[in-house]
Amino acid sequence: MTNEKQSKDAAAFEKNIHTDFTNNMTYGEYLQLDQILSAQKRLSGHHDEMLFIIIHQVTELWMKLILHEINAAIVSIKTDDMAAAQKRLARVSKTQSQIIQAWDVLSTMTPSEYMEFRESLGQASGFQSYQYRMIEFALGYKTPHVLKIYQKDEKLQKTLRDAYETPSLYDVAIHALSRAGIGIDPEVLNRDVTQAYHQNDSVLHAWMKVYKNPDAYWELYELAEKLVDIEDWLQQWRFRHMKTVERIIGFKSGTGGSSGVGYLKKVLDQQFFPELWAIRTKL
């Protein structure tokens, strides 16, 4: 059977396929593909700069979805709708797996190829990703000094400031423990949410109670495991980031002024939900 005949047969079978979009919205218009697909503007003209731009743009799109789901999960936890929260946090983990795999694609670029256009980046760096900072804020890691990076954009800085001053996913999870009748120190429940969270004995004991009695606290138990999934995947993303940078530029400084691999190794020691990791040893 010829390709032409196959095409005719397929067209005849699918008689209801729409082909006239004179007055209707197309797929490309709905997704605004004209804007998305014209946003890859190489500054060097080097072939591999296209790869570099697309990987980072795709990562930012996935980060947007992660923030969308985490923020929705926070609202759900506040209203004790744990089923909805768990669904949204499960989606976050699946999204994180996509971001991790993106490093495999970027790793196909060699050091020599990257050096051909690295200077075109100037001082632009992934260190300045405001969505990544908002994810850190949403998970409870608050660092005020990063707000200085965005001073030239008042609207963006306000968005970041609002995220910085909002209770994190872990904050609302701890409040859920309290509402379930598990004792939490008032100083934790009333803490300044603009400060980075630090491990607390009452929170540790609360999660221990949940893990020792999963049937009695099933929704909190499931919530805890979703939080562990998210931190686990985030740390795997950070590790792949660090190894990809080391593979491509070694121990050079980052374009944004950081120490590069040295900085990325240090952030691997950061924890978002310390008690959930500590109980593994104590159970």
Side-chain angles (χ1 to χ4, degrees):
M1 183 181 290
T2 65
N3 290 337
E4 182 179 356
K5 188 175 187 306
Q6 287 177 329
S7 297
K8 288 180 179 178
D9 287 346
F13 181 74
E14 296 289 348
K15 294 179 180 178
N16 294 322
I17 290 179
H18 297 290
T19 56
D20 183 359
F21 289 91
T22 305
N23 299 310
N24 295 298
M25 177 177 65
T26 65
Y27 168 83
E29 288 169 339
Y30 172 68
L31 295 178
Q32 299 186 54
L33 291 181
D34 56 338
Q35 295 181 46
I36 294 173
L37 299 180
S38 62
Q40 296 75 44
K41 303 186 186 304
R42 290 178 291 169
L43 299 181
S44 68
H46 190 277
H47 176 84
D48 283 5
E49 190 180 358
M50 181 66 77
L51 163 66
F52 189 83
I53 292 170
I54 288 177
I55 286 291
H56 288 85
Q57 288 180 338
V58 168
T59 297
E60 291 292 337
L61 284 172
W62 282 129
M63 285 184 181
K64 183 172 184 176
L65 180 59
I66 287 172
L67 285 167
H68 179 70
E69 299 297 342
I70 290 178
N71 289 332
I74 288 173
V75 173
S76 296
I77 295 169
K78 285 181 176 179
T79 58
D80 292 316
D81 187 355
M82 293 301 179
Q86 289 164 17
K87 169 72 173 178
R88 287 157 180 161
L89 295 178
R91 184 174 291 161
V92 169
S93 296
K94 291 296 185 181
T95 306
Q96 289 175 297
S97 72
Q98 297 299 309
I99 293 180
I100 291 169
Q101 291 177 17
W103 293 122
D104 294 337
V105 183
L106 187 60
S107 294
T108 63
M109 183 172 62
T110 68
S112 298
E113 290 163 344
Y114 181 50
M115 287 304 115
E116 289 291 326
F117 66 85
R118 190 181 190 227
E119 288 187 2
S120 299
L121 274 63
Q123 295 179 330
S125 165
F127 183 85
Q128 298 145 18
S129 168
Y130 67 85
Q131 289 198 120
Y132 177 73
R133 297 305 174 185
M134 289 176 69
I135 290 172
E136 286 189 329
F137 292 169
L139 297 181
Y141 186 72
K142 305 290 182 76
T143 48
H145 67 275
V146 302
L147 297 174
K148 296 178 182 178
I149 296 172
Y150 314 99
Q151 286 178 340
K152 76 174 187 178
D153 187 332
E154 292 183 6
K155 183 178 179 181
L156 176 55
Q157 190 173 52
K158 183 183 184 306
T159 298
L160 282 155
R161 175 67 64 179
D162 289 344
Y164 177 75
E165 296 174 352
T166 297
S168 72
L169 178 62
Y170 201 44
D171 287 322
V172 299
I174 291 170
H175 277 263
L177 288 169
S178 179
R179 288 196 302 276
I182 307 175
I184 302 292
D185 288 345
E187 66 183 45
V188 176
L189 297 174
N190 300 312
R191 77 183 196 88
D192 180 356
V193 297
T194 65
Q195 301 299 308
Y197 179 81
H198 297 288
Q199 185 169 318
N200 176 271
D201 286 342
S202 71
V203 176
L204 179 65
H205 295 150
W207 286 123
M208 284 287 289
K209 188 172 184 177
V210 169
Y211 273 77
K212 287 182 176 180
N213 304 277
D215 291 340
Y217 299 104
W218 183 255
E219 288 186 331
L220 291 168
Y221 177 72
E222 284 285 281
L223 174 62
E225 284 298 289
K226 292 294 187 294
L227 296 179
V228 171
D229 286 343
I230 288 172
E231 180 163 346
D232 188 353
W233 282 109
L234 181 60
Q235 293 293 51
Q236 290 188 51
W237 180 85
R238 284 173 161 179
F239 178 79
R240 289 293 292 120
H241 184 189
M242 181 267 293
K243 294 306 292 184
T244 301
V245 171
E246 184 178 359
R247 174 174 177 156
I248 295 176
I249 68 167
F251 287 82
K252 294 184 180 71
S253 296
T255 50
S258 74
S259 58
V261 169
Y263 168 79
L264 296 174
K265 283 185 175 180
K266 284 189 290 186
V267 300
L268 287 171
D269 293 330
Q270 294 172 359
Q271 282 192 319
F272 296 94
F273 318 128
E275 292 87 359
L276 292 176
W277 295 98
I279 61 172
R280 265 80 183 154
T281 304
K282 296 181 176 294
L283 282 171

